[in-house]
């Protein structure tokens, strides 16, 4: 494709005897980006992803089978460039009293958020997953399935970046585990499933938010002047604020019957 867009896919199926099968697949896609990077060394909207999976199936007996799958994925692309469409601007607004007044349609302009001056626009994520499915068919009317999964997602890139805001992750790791046990019944016209489910994830690492000049022209004209600092258009309550969030083993769990 254009912008040097290239997608490659490969699949390999290998039977190892009558009861063991292995399947490997990989997808690689990349391009040169769709918008000038400005101050960054890389263009915006670069696609640079890799996904690979290895799956094995073992049929222990005619009634008992196990499928195990491992996946790996990376994203080394860049953020999308923000294109601004026409928007409504309220030149007579008073944010203290809550008065807006009549709007004016303002034509779109690309550099409203100032991405051209950003020094970095890189995405950097890695995900590894494991999934397991064990199926036991006692007869035509009854079967049981045990599902298990584990994933690890690491983010060391930018989630959002403009001249106004930057949201970055630093070794932000989310680990998730799932377990599910299902009993399947089939009797004449009745089909039913009874099951137990458990989910847990934990997040560690850092995220930071930098807020710079949050009120570009023409919006600075409707923000009360009392909020301004002595230089620029930065409201003193929000200008040049850096917020660092430390995620220390932050857990989430869910159970279901």
């Amino acid at each position: 494709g254009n912008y040097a867009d290239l997608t490659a896919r490969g699949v390999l199926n290998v039977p190892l005897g009558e009861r063991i099968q292995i399947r490997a697949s990989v997808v690689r896609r990349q391009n040169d980006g769709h918008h000038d990077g400005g101050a960054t060394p890389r263009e915006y909207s670069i696609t640079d992803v890799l996904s690979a999976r290895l799956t094995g199936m073992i049929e222990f007996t005619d009634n008992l089978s196990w499928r195990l799958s491992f996946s790996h994925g990376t994203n080394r692309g860049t953020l999308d460039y923000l294109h601004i469409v026409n928007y409504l601007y309220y030149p007579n607004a008073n944010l203290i009293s809550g008065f807006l007044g009549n709007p004016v349609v303002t034509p779109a302009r690309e550099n409203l958020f100032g991405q051209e001056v950003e020094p970095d626009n890189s995405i950097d994520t890695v995900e590894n997953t494991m999934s397991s499915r064990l199926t036991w068919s006692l007869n035509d009317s009854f079967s049981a399935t045990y599902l298990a999964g584990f994933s690890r997602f690491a983010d060391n890139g930018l989630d959002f970046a403009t001249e106004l805001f930057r949201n970055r992750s630093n070794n932000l790791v989310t680990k998730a585990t799932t377990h599910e046990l299902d009993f399947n019944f089939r009797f004449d016209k009745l089909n039913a499933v009874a099951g137990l489910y458990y989910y847990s994830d934990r997040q560690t690492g850092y995220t930071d938010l930098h807020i710079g000049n949050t009120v570009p022209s023409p919006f600075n004209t409707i923000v009360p002047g009392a909020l301004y600092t002595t230089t620029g258009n930065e409201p003193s309550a929000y200008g040049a604020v850096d917020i660092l969030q430390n995620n220390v083993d932050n857990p989430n769990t869910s159970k279901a019957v």
Side-chain angles (χ1 to χ4, degrees):
N2 58 346
Y3 300 99
D5 191 271
L6 178 65
T7 301
R9 303 175 187 271
V11 178
L12 178 65
N13 292 289
V14 181
L16 301 177
E18 296 182 355
R19 295 191 176 273
I20 301 178
Q21 304 170 46
I22 295 177
R23 174 185 175 93
S25 62
V26 62
V27 177
R28 182 77 168 94
R29 186 185 176 193
Q30 58 185 4
N31 60 42
D32 290 341
H34 304 147
H35 197 279
D36 182 73
T40 69
R42 306 175 70 197
E43 309 285 35
Y44 280 93
S45 301
I46 288 178
T47 300
D48 186 357
V49 295
L50 170 67
S51 179
R53 176 175 293 176
L54 178 64
T55 304
M57 171 73 82
I58 303 176
E59 295 178 330
F60 298 102
T61 68
D62 292 340
N63 298 325
L64 182 63
S65 64
W66 182 35
R67 194 188 81 155
L68 186 63
S69 179
F70 298 93
S71 299
H72 173 76
T74 62
N75 186 346
R76 310 292 189 192
T78 59
L79 299 172
D80 290 331
Y81 186 81
L82 296 176
H83 295 273
I84 308 304
V85 298
N86 293 349
Y87 58 89
L88 296 180
Y89 165 57
Y90 296 83
N92 299 315
N94 186 317
L95 299 187
I96 295 178
S97 65
F99 174 77
L100 289 178
N102 295 324
V104 174
V105 177
T106 303
R109 66 184 196 189
E110 282 197 347
N111 196 26
L112 179 65
F113 293 122
Q115 281 186 296
E116 284 83 354
V117 302
E118 274 303 303
D120 188 13
N121 59 6
S122 294
I123 301 171
D124 183 2
T125 63
V126 179
E127 183 173 24
N128 294 299
T129 64
M130 183 278 292
S131 63
S132 171
R133 180 186 183 99
L134 184 64
T135 303
W136 176 45
S137 299
L138 181 62
N139 49 49
D140 293 339
S141 299
F142 176 82
S143 66
T145 303
Y146 171 59
L147 304 169
F150 174 79
S151 67
R152 184 184 187 274
F153 181 81
D155 189 351
N156 279 289
L158 286 164
D159 301 304
F160 184 80
T162 71
E163 184 184 16
L164 315 179
F165 301 96
R166 281 190 297 276
N167 188 197
R168 180 188 298 275
S169 297
N170 182 10
N171 197 30
L172 184 66
V173 175
T174 303
K175 297 179 180 179
T177 303
T178 61
H179 298 278
E180 181 175 350
L181 181 60
D182 292 331
F183 300 94
N184 306 280
F185 306 90
R186 181 189 298 270
F187 297 106
D188 195 14
K189 297 182 179 180
L190 173 65
N191 295 328
V193 177
L196 301 173
Y197 175 80
Y198 173 80
Y199 168 86
S200 174
D201 71 48
R202 293 180 179 274
Q203 189 175 77
T204 59
Y206 299 90
T207 56
D208 65 74
L209 175 64
H210 173 77
I211 304 176
N213 186 350
T214 60
V215 191
S217 175
F219 303 117
N220 59 298
T221 61
I222 62 175
V223 175
L227 293 180
Y228 284 154
T229 56
T230 55
T231 59
N233 295 325
E234 297 181 0
S236 58
Y238 300 102
V241 173
D242 288 289
I243 302 171
L244 179 65
Q245 177 175 324
N246 184 9
N247 300 277
V248 183
D249 203 20
N250 186 23
N252 295 284
T253 59
S254 177
K255 302 174 184 178
V257 175

